[in-house]
Amino acid sequence: MSDILSYLAEPETVVVFDIDGVLAPYEFGELSHAACLDGDWKTYVLEEHPYAHIRPVPQIQRFIEKKGCTRVFACSVAEDYEEEGKRDFVVANYGLPADHVKLVRSKSDKVAELRALAKEFCASERRVALVEDTVKTLDEVARKTGCTTVHVSSFFFA
């Protein structure tokens, strides 16, 4: 296990996973990452329920199973019409309680969620780790907080 994954596995570390591209592979179209490049995402989500058909990531499932759910969360940008599908996907496939799925309106709102978790667990920001696939989001969190930032590729060989 890599040093960073060992750190995440420590009981005192709070781990926050992004959903799209991390817990849920970004595979919304047939042989494509996108289902509606020029279409209406809202209509697609409401009619097709894409999160009901996405498969989870086994390496992350195993990690969460070993760590336990107490200090594991998901945090994702979501519009109101996406919330139910994302939350249900995480609960069903990763065993997290529904209240451990934090949904925000913008990527920058993740900073406030990470800080709130540090406060809730009386932990230093360093003990709160964000696992993301978007480097710009990781960079923003690293600039604005003391949180640990982890690219999802760290789990590729777990």
Side-chain angles (χ1 to χ4, degrees):
M1 184 179 290
S2 72
D3 288 346
I4 199 152
L5 291 182
S6 294
Y7 185 78
L8 297 181
E10 291 175 4
E12 59 273 25
T13 304
V14 177
V15 182
V16 182
F17 290 95
D18 178 44
I19 297 176
D20 296 310
V22 176
L23 295 180
Y26 211 89
E27 297 177 349
F28 294 108
E30 185 177 338
L31 302 177
S32 174
H33 73 288
C36 51
L37 290 172
D38 296 321
D40 179 4
W41 175 251
K42 181 177 181 178
T43 300
Y44 173 73
V45 169
L46 294 173
E47 291 178 359
E48 301 297 326
H49 309 285
Y51 294 96
H53 310 290
I54 294 177
R55 57 199 162 79
V57 178
Q59 294 93 323
I60 297 176
Q61 284 179 309
R62 287 191 297 272
F63 174 85
I64 292 172
E65 186 177 320
K66 286 179 186 173
K67 183 168 177 72
C69 294
T70 304
R71 291 183 179 236
V72 176
F73 294 82
C75 184
S76 181
V77 174
E79 296 297 331
D80 59 347
Y81 59 86
E82 297 172 299
E83 289 181 358
E84 182 179 6
K86 284 188 178 194
R87 185 175 287 111
D88 289 352
F89 168 79
V90 172
V91 170
N93 291 287
Y94 292 96
L96 296 182
D99 66 340
H100 281 224
V101 181
K102 310 293 186 179
L103 300 169
V104 297
R105 291 295 185 244
S106 72
K107 287 188 178 284
S108 60
D109 290 341
K110 288 185 177 187
V111 169
E113 287 296 332
L114 296 170
R115 287 192 168 137
L117 287 169
K119 187 175 181 180
E120 178 181 337
F121 286 94
C122 299
S124 70
E125 287 186 355
R126 191 74 170 157
R127 276 293 174 185
V128 177
L130 177 64
V131 180
E132 254 285 350
D133 62 318
T134 306
V135 173
K136 285 185 179 187
T137 303
L138 291 168
D139 290 347
E140 181 176 351
V141 167
R143 276 194 307 276
K144 293 182 176 179
T145 73
C147 294
T148 297
T149 52
V150 182
H151 191 272
V152 67
S153 60
S154 294
F155 283 86
F156 289 2
F157 301 102

